[in-house]
Structure formats: structure tokens, C-alpha cells
Amino acid sequence: MMDQEAFLSTNVSKLNQQLEKQRRKNLGLELELMMAGCTEGMDLHDLKHIKNPSESIQFLEEMMASVTSEIEHAENENNA
């Protein structure tokens, strides 16, 4: 049986993981909204609401790498 300290520590760890996952999801949604606004002619001065630009850039780079990987995988399947 788990003691109270270990139980709370485990729960805090799980909640921190959920929080980080939700933060990433929210960042993705914010960036999606920003990109949609840019395609609709939104002024770039409206982008000042982005709290952490470097985190946004990293997230976009990860998305681009994921898409590139999927494209390469699909090309390899088509060539096989």
C-alpha cells in the first residue's frame, strides 16, 4: 500500500503532465488561430498577444518536422 506522501507525489506528477499537455494543446490552438488570422489579412501588430514567441517557434518547428516525416514516410511507401 502506498503512503500518503507517495500518493500525493504521484498525483502531482500526473497533474503536471496533464497541465503540460494542455498547455501544448492551447499553444497549438493559439498558433492555428494566428495562422488563420494571417490568411484573412490580420495585421502583424495583432500578434503581440503571443506570450512566448520562442516557444511558439519551437512548436511550429516540431509541427513542420512531423509533417515532413509523414511526407517522407508516404513517399517511401509509394516507391516500395
Side-chain angles (χ1 to χ4, degrees):
M1 185 167 180
M2 200 182 287
D3 67 344
Q4 187 174 7
E5 184 178 349
F7 173 77
L8 291 174
S9 178
T10 302
N11 281 347
V12 167
S13 176
K14 287 179 183 178
L15 289 172
N16 280 331
Q17 290 174 352
Q18 290 175 357
L19 178 61
E20 185 58 32
K21 183 177 179 182
Q22 191 62 45
R23 281 185 179 149
R24 301 272 303 159
K25 182 178 177 181
N26 288 346
L27 177 60
L29 291 172
E30 283 180 20
L31 291 172
E32 227 176 273
L33 183 62
M34 176 197 67
M35 288 187 276
C38 287
T39 59
E40 294 295 318
M42 179 178 74
D43 189 6
L44 293 179
H45 288 59
D46 295 336
L47 300 179
K48 60 186 170 195
H49 71 277
I50 294 178
K51 297 173 187 85
N52 190 346
S54 63
E55 184 179 9
S56 300
I57 291 169
Q58 180 183 1
F59 185 81
L60 288 172
E61 288 173 345
E62 290 172 9
M63 287 175 59
M64 289 179 358
S66 175
V67 169
T68 302
S69 175
E70 289 178 23
I71 290 171
E72 290 172 352
H73 181 70
E75 287 175 346
N76 288 340
E77 283 185 351
N78 288 337
N79 292 335

